[in-house]
Amino acid sequence: MNVGDVGGVLIQRGLSIAVAESLTGGLLAASLCSVPGISAVFRGGIVAYQTPLKHALLGVDAELLAARGAVDPDVAQQMAEGVRQRIATSGPADIGLSTTGVAGPDPQDGHAVGTVFVGIATAQGSHALRLNLGEAIVSGDPVATRQHIRDATVAAALQVLAEHLARCEPKTGRDVAS
């Protein structure tokens, strides 16, 4: 499902979404904003690139960040939960989606370049998916590597969202597997 299809389903179902981004630096929000009519459901996003901002802006547990760093499935979950609550108008967003990981050129927090976590949160709970995007590394070109990893992360985040939408009830966004 491409971004137009995912955005169309969000609009059709009236499901609001907010995004929290680290390594993608706003690319996920920009991708969603390319969909005509998305303003009806896209609440906005927070780019918390530096680790302390994940705590300050998204409420990620400071002890978790100190112990494990920013590249962690629990951090991705808490980022998704935090943005869902914080980018709120008349209540939390129906869906929070987050990205955190290592775009390179150097490893971070003991994780190899291409290690990424995508988090998703709804009223029914949250989870994170680990991605290994090492195949996106472009030998000798750290700028291209970073861009490939960031682009692949956005595609994966949209796929996580599409899979959630395929499993959930059309009007509520509630996961029918719950």
Side-chain angles (χ1 to χ4, degrees):
M1 203 180 281
N2 66 35
V3 68
D5 295 335
V6 172
V9 172
L10 290 169
I11 295 164
Q12 179 185 29
R13 295 186 186 177
L15 294 173
S16 60
I17 186 167
V19 298
E21 300 182 67
S22 185
L23 84 151
T24 50
L27 288 176
L28 180 56
S31 182
L32 288 168
C33 287
S34 71
V35 178
I38 200 72
S39 62
V41 295
F42 180 60
R43 295 261 180 100
I46 295 174
V47 176
Y49 202 74
Q50 293 184 341
T51 298
L53 290 177
K54 292 169 181 61
H55 171 69
L57 297 177
L58 296 167
V60 176
D61 182 25
E63 291 179 13
L64 171 64
L65 290 166
R68 297 193 216 159
V71 183
D72 183 82
D74 293 333
V75 171
Q77 281 184 252
Q78 289 187 21
M79 287 173 66
E81 292 164 357
V83 79
R84 184 178 164 270
Q85 296 293 330
R86 284 169 170 76
I87 304 290
T89 50
S90 58
D94 294 310
I95 301 167
L97 193 61
S98 69
T99 63
T100 188
V102 186
D106 300 315
Q108 179 184 339
D109 301 329
H111 295 284
V113 173
T115 303
V116 172
F117 294 94
V118 173
I120 187 166
T122 67
Q124 288 70 48
S126 62
H127 68 275
L129 173 71
R130 180 188 179 111
L131 307 172
N132 294 307
L133 302 175
E135 74 278 356
I137 294 172
V138 178
S139 181
D141 193 342
V143 173
T145 293
R146 290 178 60 79
Q147 192 60 47
H148 285 313
I149 290 171
R150 294 169 69 224
D151 290 342
T153 300
V154 169
L158 292 170
Q159 183 62 38
V160 167
L161 179 57
E163 290 169 5
H164 169 76
L165 293 171
R167 287 192 314 269
C168 70
E169 295 175 0
K171 295 274 186 199
T172 66
R174 182 174 305 150
D175 194 324
V176 293
S178 297

